[in-house]
Amino acid sequence: RFDDHLSQLLHVALANCELERAAGASEASAFEDMVRRICGAEEVFQAVPVQFNHLKVSLYWPALSERPTVRTLLAAPAASTTFGLRARVVPYPEGVVAVWVLLAAVGRF
């Protein structure tokens, strides 16, 4: 099942991914604190961020599904796993874009 709240929290992670890529700075501690609050004692948070440099949405899922880490996340037991998905488009001059897609799961793996 997908969790809207988890998907909303992933925005912080995506903003941090782009900040780290563009400026070399990281604010990961804020997101780590949020993850600690949403995970139960026996639960684990796993996420796979992927960055694209185009807006061809039809190519995103094939690229994601080829990654072993994404396959592992999707193979998690459905009864005890919550998923989140978030995308972020960052426009740059001259038509350049950085598109981030983040698939995450919280559960007992």
Side-chain angles (χ1 to χ4, degrees):
R1 69 184 185 274
F2 276 86
D3 181 340
D4 290 337
H5 181 66
L6 176 58
S7 295
Q8 290 294 324
L9 292 178
L10 296 179
H11 176 75
V12 176
L14 289 181
N16 189 58
C17 285
E18 185 60 19
L19 177 66
E20 190 172 329
R21 177 77 52 106
S26 177
E27 296 292 330
S29 61
F31 182 69
E32 290 169 1
D33 289 341
M34 287 183 214
V35 168
R36 284 188 195 100
R37 283 187 233 129
I38 64 167
C39 288
E42 300 291 320
E43 293 180 320
V44 175
F45 174 85
Q46 291 185 346
V48 181
V50 181
Q51 192 265 326
F52 299 94
N53 61 358
H54 58 79
L55 295 172
K56 297 174 187 158
V57 176
S58 62
L59 300 178
Y60 297 170
W61 182 249
L64 282 166
S65 62
E66 291 174 1
R67 293 174 178 259
T69 50
V70 170
R71 289 183 185 167
T72 300
L73 276 182
L74 295 175
S80 63
T81 306
T82 302
F83 293 95
L85 180 67
R86 185 76 178 200
R88 183 170 191 239
V89 178
V90 183
Y92 287 101
E94 300 181 15
V96 175
V97 294
V99 179
W100 289 93
V101 178
L102 179 58
L103 176 66
V106 173
R108 297 179 181 133
F109 299 99

